[in-house]
Amino acid sequence: MTENETSNADDVFTTNIYYGDDADASYIEDKTVAVLGYGSQGHAHALNLHDSGVDVVVGLREDSSSWPQAESDGLRVTTPDDATAEADIVMFLVPDTIQPAVFEAVEDGLEEGNTVMFAHGFNIHYNQIEPPEYVDVTMAAPKGPGHIVRRDYENGGGTPALIAVYQDYTGAAKDEALAYAQGIGGTRAGVVETTFREEVESDLFGEQAVLCGGVTSLVKHGFETLVDAGYAPEMAYFECLNELKLIVDLMYEDGIGGMWYSVSDTAEYGGLTRGDRIVDEGVRENMEEVLEEVQSGEFAREWINENQAGRPSYTQLKRHDEEHKIEEIGAPLRDLFEWEDEQSDDDAPEVPADD
Ligand SMILES: NC(=O)C1=CN([C@@H]2O[C@H](COP(=O)(O)OP(=O)(O)OC[C@H]3O[C@@H](n4cnc5c(N)ncnc54)[C@H](O)[C@@H]3O)[C@@H](O)[C@H]2O)C=CC1
Ligand SMILES: CC(=O)[C@](C)(O)C(=O)O
Ligand SMILES: [Mg+2]
Ligand SMILES: [Mg+2]
């Protein structure tokens, strides 16, 4: 471990949080990193590491439509097995459900002392991938969508990340994981040390109960309540979806209190008195049930079986969501925000669905 003190000077945190030069780039600067996959996380890790001076090779299927994109982004690209064979560190950024098959296809290319890395511990924690004992197994998991990981890095910032060590064959697994996290910009924002189990269970719970599942369900219910009561869909869209970003931006920048400070007293009183009537005690019971399904492995088994069956439920649910009125009214409304085109990350590769 580096001689630098971790950044817990005020001992507010219960974990080790690493920042800035707590990482030692010498653990990665002479190594080759194979990034398997060039999607949301893959393009961000590959480009950020490359811009940080790390030797990166992207591993993609030969028919992948991301191949020319990665090359035009200035990266070396080859097949996953060839990338693995030349690399010291292999980061698996293909979809969770196909990682076992990709691992099996490249495993022979792993040499003693190499490192197998993940940005989410699903396949290690639920025993879908069992790496050989002669490699390190670590994680560098950004706590943010890949396109934001890239955009924050390009803007001189960083996205907070987690690191974890599952297997430390070399004795340098943690130092190398921290150097990797530094290379993707994580130490600019803060890197929290955790375990594979904690990352998997907190990430699955968070994305299901709050970030992706809970919030979108709340937004759609709010939109439907207003529209069914006769309010114009565009009004409901601006109130229940578009403004949510503005409210969350305030919480992101200055906490919940910072948001209350900025909104009106009327909104603050209404929110404080009615919020818990909307998201009431029953929600806590539902959240605890969802967490138990993650902890017991029930969700993981369900998702693995769903993929083995060809994703029938996923496909139906996705189509139903895409056909929601909020999506129909949202597209033309967002077209009115012409300034968004200038802000959007033009470099972000379109991740083709068939890729
Ligand atoms: N999307 C996100 O922001 C986050 C994702 N993660 C984790 O990162 C990992 C990657 O997820 P995403 O970036 O969302 O995936 P994605 O679906 O955006 O991209 C996956 C990429 O893998 C490639 N690919 C697909 N099949 C392949 C194959 N057979 N061989 C080689 N390459 C293949 C394609 O380039 C595709 O673009 C997952 O473990 C996920 O849980 C972790 C944190 C956030
Ligand atoms: C973006 C992120 O952190 C998620 C929601 O966990 C994911 O994409 O898996
Ligand atoms: Mg996450
Ligand atoms: Mg996730």
Side-chain angles (χ1 to χ4, degrees):
M1 198 57 245
T2 58
E3 68 284 355
N4 295 341
E5 286 302 307
T6 57
S7 303
N8 287 354
D10 49 12
D11 290 335
V12 169
F13 308 124
T14 59
T15 61
N16 286 327
I17 297 186
Y18 300 101
Y19 191 74
D21 293 337
D22 287 337
D24 181 349
S26 69
Y27 283 92
I28 200 170
E29 62 193 8
D30 298 327
K31 294 180 180 170
T32 296
V33 176
V35 174
L36 305 189
Y38 202 68
S40 179
Q41 289 292 322
H43 90 285
H45 289 228
L47 291 169
N48 291 4
L49 288 167
H50 177 74
D51 291 350
S52 294
V54 176
D55 179 34
V56 173
V57 58
V58 177
L60 291 174
R61 289 169 299 185
E62 287 179 284
D63 63 348
S64 167
S65 39
S66 297
W67 191 299
Q69 173 77 50
E71 286 187 325
S72 69
D73 290 341
L75 296 166
R76 290 194 296 123
V77 189
T78 185
T79 57
D81 49 354
D82 287 350
T84 300
E86 76 165 88
D88 304 292
I89 299 169
V90 185
M91 171 56 100
F92 285 77
L93 295 179
V94 298
D96 292 309
T97 50
I98 67 163
Q99 285 181 14
V102 174
F103 183 84
E104 190 176 341
V106 305
E107 185 176 9
D108 290 348
L110 294 174
E111 294 172 356
E112 183 177 2
N114 282 173
T115 302
V116 173
M117 288 194 82
F118 300 89
H120 180 48
F122 187 94
N123 285 296
I124 293 292
H125 181 60
Y126 294 116
N127 305 309
Q128 300 303 302
I129 291 177
E130 295 180 5
E133 77 282 350
Y134 51 79
V135 299
D136 288 350
V137 181
T138 62
M139 179 194 301
K143 289 288 95 180
H147 294 91
I148 303 300
V149 173
R150 179 57 182 162
R151 190 179 305 166
D152 281 352
Y153 183 95
E154 288 186 298
N155 293 336
T159 307
L162 308 182
I163 59 167
V165 176
Y166 177 77
Q167 185 167 290
D168 186 6
Y169 178 79
T170 64
K174 179 176 168 181
D175 290 303
E176 183 187 81
L178 189 53
Y180 184 104
Q182 182 186 52
I184 62 173
T187 50
R188 296 175 180 176
V191 174
V192 178
E193 182 180 6
T194 186
T195 66
F196 270 66
R197 179 187 66 76
E198 280 192 346
E199 184 276 333
V200 170
E201 295 177 353
S202 61
D203 188 74
L204 291 178
F205 171 79
E207 63 200 23
Q208 294 170 19
V210 182
L211 301 175
C212 306
V215 163
T216 54
S217 185
L218 188 68
V219 164
K220 287 183 287 185
H221 279 296
F223 175 87
E224 290 165 9
T225 302
L226 286 177
V227 169
D228 291 352
Y231 296 90
E234 56 269 31
M235 271 186 63
Y237 181 89
F238 280 126
E239 182 62 30
C240 296
L241 190 151
N242 192 73
E243 192 169 350
L244 179 61
K245 174 194 182 325
L246 311 183
I247 292 291
V248 170
D249 280 351
L250 290 170
M251 293 198 278
Y252 174 88
E253 291 156 16
D254 208 14
I256 292 176
M259 180 276 290
W260 288 136
Y261 171 79
S262 184
V263 300
S264 66
D265 293 354
T266 306
E268 183 174 11
Y269 175 76
L272 289 171
T273 54
R274 269 78 176 160
D276 288 342
R277 281 172 52 187
I278 301 296
V279 184
D280 62 16
E281 269 314 299
V283 168
R284 277 299 303 275
E285 291 164 23
N286 297 337
M287 284 186 164
E288 285 158 11
E289 188 178 314
V290 164
L291 179 57
E292 198 283 327
E293 290 169 5
V294 167
Q295 292 171 326
S296 67
E298 180 180 339
F299 169 78
R301 284 187 297 275
E302 179 185 322
W303 180 221
I304 291 165
N305 293 338
E306 171 70 15
N307 280 275
Q308 288 172 348
R311 295 187 164 188
S313 301
Y314 172 88
T315 305
Q316 183 188 8
L317 289 166
K318 187 175 178 65
R319 184 180 309 116
H320 181 68
D321 208 52
E322 287 167 348
E323 291 167 355
H324 195 283
K325 176 73 177 170
I326 201 169
E327 293 291 79
E328 180 187 321
I329 193 71
L333 284 177
R334 290 191 298 275
D335 285 346
L336 300 176
F337 302 169
E338 71 282 352
W339 65 89
E340 288 288 315
D341 294 337
E342 293 142 33
Q343 287 181 356
S344 68
D345 184 348
D346 297 335
D347 300 331
E350 289 303 315
V351 177
D354 63 350
D355 203 28

